[in-house]
Amino acid sequence: MVPEKDGFEGVEWRIRVADGSSEVPVTDTSLARKVWLRTKDLFSCLGLKVWMFLKKAWDIGANDPRKVIHCFKVGLALTLVSLFYFMRPLYDGVGGNAMWALMTVVLVFEPNVGATLYKCLNRIFATFFAGFLAFGVHWIASRSGDRFEPYIVGASVFLFASMATFFRFIPSVKSLFDYGAMVFILTFSFVAVSGYRVDKLFDFAHQRISTIIIGTSLCILVIILVCPIWCGQELHGLTVRNMDKLADSLSGCVTHYFTNINGEDDKRLQAYKCVLSSKASEDSMANFARWEPSHGRFNFRHPWKQYLKIGASMRSCAYCIEALNSCINKENKAAESIKKHLSASCLEVSSSSSSAIRELSESLKKMKLPTVHMFIGEMNRAVEELKNDLKSLSQLLDPSTTGENKEYETPFLEATGSVLFMEIIPVVTLASILIEIAVRTEALVGSVEDLAKLANFATIDDKFKKCDMKDKIVPDEEKPDGTLEALQRV
């Protein structure tokens, strides 16, 4: 046996067979070396995962710095509340219940102003109402004697908790006071049941309400004064972006169908899906925006519900675009001669419809009355032309009627009189969907015009009258891709 040293695998022994014909290598793998290799692999894998996690966290912060700012704002609010523990005069004022202020900050602090105000105000009013109601129940129960007191308290908890829970199922109450109803149940049950054993119930309830007011007040100050994120601006910007995506998908889809252009259009075709998936975000933003004070160009009673109607109109258009997209991927392809016959009118309808939607987006972005009547007129003329082209296709299915309708005798019909019925259906379907999109685009125009009237959007003449204010209001067109940034500068 001849030993051979290896710097990485330890000592390797080669056993020579008796006849000398071959050698069999045998590696000395000790237990300690196996443990070392496995430990090294474990730490390498762990280090790689930590590095990937940190890289992912860095990308999240770099893509949306507002998330990082929100983290600092939460830390700032908690630090300010902690002063009630660190400073003796403040601690003596609220006592050991200052911990409720810390809990309040953690529970109600949200990334945007509207959501934070919604939780803060709901928590304050629900705590006030539940505290006073529980104190009244305790006063009545204490006057009824020791025998009936627990029954009265238990019955009140059952009654009010059941009623508050039922109210949470009512849509109007759920959208505005769902969090408040939950806080009411918690506070009333806590105070009412605790009052059976606590002698100084009024002092206990007073300290509880005081600490909650302190926590919510600090949250409101921090969320409004330090880099505020307004739900109203978020909803306004989301609506503007969705309109642009809707217009891009509409024009890109029809252009791709008739010209077979790939590349950039492939991304534009899928932009409409953002419109279909934004309903939940729009609902929550509109709900929270109603709690926000006047900010920028948005008044306190800004018609936020109208944005939901605009979103519903855009989704109805997006569903039609989804049907258009399915026409592109159909296995049953239309005849090229028919596509060529209808391409001009179809492209004109899609171009005028997308132009109208883009004009609506621009008007909404600048918050001025929309001027889309010219585009709507072009769209209606293109629709009539498309309907006439569709009528001419009927001659392909019944050539015997050609002599009766001389106006439809064209070289196109003579060359394609033998077109199969199945080759006509795809392009006719697409043309019908385009006509429906034109109708739904007019409905979208009506929704935006209603918003402009309710919100008192400025007209073009008003814009020129206020040209002397240009130093105070930065025009949005200087940064077309930054809707939210432009709104925040106002």
Side-chain angles (χ1 to χ4, degrees):
M1 294 186 295
V2 181
E4 296 183 3
K5 293 184 178 181
D6 191 340
F8 298 94
E9 299 296 334
V11 180
E12 183 181 84
W13 298 87
R14 293 184 178 272
I15 303 176
R16 186 172 298 171
V17 184
D19 57 1
S21 59
S22 62
E23 293 183 354
V24 180
V26 178
T27 305
D28 182 14
T29 56
S30 62
L31 179 61
R33 184 165 187 79
K34 288 182 178 180
V35 172
W36 162 248
L37 292 176
R38 289 185 179 273
T39 304
K40 184 174 68 172
D41 293 341
L42 178 63
F43 278 100
S44 299
C45 182
L46 182 62
L48 180 61
K49 289 184 177 181
V50 171
W51 170 253
M52 294 300 295
F53 173 79
L54 294 177
K55 185 177 182 299
K56 193 173 184 179
W58 176 267
D59 292 338
I60 292 175
N63 294 332
D64 192 357
R66 296 180 301 179
K67 294 180 180 179
V68 180
I69 296 175
H70 171 66
C71 298
F72 286 109
K73 288 161 70 174
V74 173
L76 175 62
L78 289 173
T79 302
L80 294 176
V81 172
S82 301
L83 295 177
F84 286 88
Y85 267 99
F86 301 150
M87 301 179 68
R88 192 67 186 180
L90 297 177
Y91 181 81
D92 294 337
V94 298
N97 290 314
M99 186 61 66
W100 287 105
L102 288 171
M103 294 178 60
T104 299
V105 172
V106 174
L107 293 175
V108 305
F109 207 99
E110 295 291 334
N112 51 70
V113 177
T116 303
L117 288 175
Y118 160 77
K119 282 193 170 183
C120 288
L121 297 178
N122 269 265
R123 191 173 183 86
I124 291 174
F125 290 121
T127 303
F128 262 108
F129 185 61
F132 285 112
L133 190 61
F135 183 78
V137 170
H138 172 72
W139 184 84
I140 295 174
S142 62
R143 296 297 186 275
S144 60
D146 296 338
R147 181 179 178 181
F148 296 101
E149 183 177 1
Y151 296 103
I152 295 176
V153 173
S156 65
V157 170
F158 171 79
L159 178 63
F160 289 111
S162 300
M163 291 175 58
T165 303
F166 177 78
F167 288 149
R168 296 182 67 186
F169 292 108
I170 302 175
S172 58
V173 176
K174 184 176 181 63
S175 61
L176 292 175
F177 308 109
D178 183 67
Y179 183 74
M182 183 179 63
V183 172
F184 171 83
I185 296 172
L186 175 63
T187 304
F188 178 81
S189 303
F190 187 74
V191 176
V193 174
S194 300
Y196 185 70
R197 298 295 183 184
V198 177
D199 295 332
K200 297 181 179 181
L201 181 61
F202 182 78
D203 294 337
F204 173 77
H206 177 265
Q207 291 180 349
R208 172 95 160 85
I209 294 174
S210 300
T211 52
I212 289 178
I213 292 177
I214 292 171
T216 53
S217 300
L218 289 176
C219 288
I220 292 174
L221 290 176
V222 172
I223 199 67
I224 292 180
L225 298 180
V226 182
C227 300
I229 300 175
W230 303 95
C231 278
Q233 291 182 354
E234 293 287 316
L235 177 60
H236 189 86
L238 177 64
T239 305
V240 171
R241 293 193 299 270
N242 282 346
M243 281 189 184
D244 291 332
K245 293 175 181 178
L246 197 66
D248 291 340
S249 294
L250 176 57
S251 61
C253 184
V254 179
T255 302
H256 177 77
Y257 182 77
F258 286 103
T259 62
N260 296 322
I261 297 178
N262 297 321
E264 183 180 356
D265 285 342
D266 294 338
K267 298 180 180 179
R268 296 168 62 190
L269 294 180
Q270 306 300 324
Y272 71 92
K273 292 184 178 180
C274 296
V275 182
L276 296 177
S277 60
S278 63
K279 184 180 186 305
S281 299
E282 292 173 358
D283 291 340
S284 62
M285 288 180 184
N287 181 36
F288 294 144
R290 287 185 286 178
W291 295 88
E292 294 179 345
S294 178
H295 57 281
R297 291 178 290 179
F298 304 100
N299 297 323
F300 178 71
R301 300 190 62 83
H302 192 78
W304 301 113
K305 287 186 177 180
Q306 189 62 30
Y307 285 87
L308 301 181
K309 297 180 181 180
I310 295 175
S313 299
M314 286 193 294
R315 278 187 292 276
S316 66
C317 294
Y319 286 126
C320 288
I321 296 176
E322 190 172 33
L324 281 178
N325 202 16
S326 64
C327 290
I328 297 176
N329 301 321
K330 272 189 175 180
E331 295 181 359
N332 185 24
K333 301 296 183 180
E336 291 297 328
S337 57
I338 299 178
K339 290 175 62 175
K340 184 178 180 181
H341 177 64
L342 295 177
S343 62
S345 54
C346 287
L347 288 171
E348 182 63 25
V349 172
S350 67
S351 176
S352 56
S353 300
S354 60
S355 298
I357 297 175
R358 286 194 181 94
E359 179 62 24
L360 288 178
S361 172
E362 192 68 18
S363 300
L364 188 61
K365 179 180 178 181
K366 298 178 180 179
M367 299 186 71
K368 65 181 182 64
L369 289 174
T371 56
V372 295
H373 300 291
M374 180 182 65
F375 298 102
I376 295 299
E378 293 178 357
M379 182 182 68
N380 291 332
R381 286 192 295 271
V383 168
E384 292 300 324
E385 182 180 351
L386 178 58
K387 289 180 179 179
N388 292 332
D389 291 342
L390 288 174
K391 291 178 182 178
S392 66
L393 287 179
S394 63
Q395 308 306 312
L396 298 179
L397 301 178
D398 190 7
S400 62
T401 61
T402 305
E404 302 175 1
N405 299 282
K406 299 296 184 179
E407 57 178 331
Y408 295 126
E409 290 185 3
T410 61
F412 166 75
L413 296 176
E414 295 176 1
T416 59
S418 61
V419 174
L420 297 177
F421 178 75
M422 295 303 295
E423 295 179 338
I424 298 178
I425 290 179
V427 69
V428 171
T429 302
L430 183 139
S432 302
I433 294 174
L434 280 176
I435 295 174
E436 180 63 23
I437 288 178
V439 175
R440 299 188 181 189
T441 301
E442 289 194 48
L444 177 60
V445 171
S447 300
V448 177
E449 288 179 343
D450 291 340
L451 173 64
K453 294 177 182 178
L454 293 173
N456 296 321
F457 282 2
T459 61
I460 298 179
D461 295 335
D462 294 336
K463 186 176 179 181
F464 286 111
K465 289 179 182 178
K466 297 179 180 180
C467 60
D468 57 332
M469 300 292 291
K470 61 182 179 180
D471 294 334
K472 297 181 180 179
I473 300 179
V474 181
D476 293 342
E477 56 265 22
E478 291 184 5
K479 197 172 184 180
D481 296 331
T483 304
L484 295 180
E485 291 82 350
L487 291 176
Q488 289 175 352
R489 290 197 302 265
V490 179

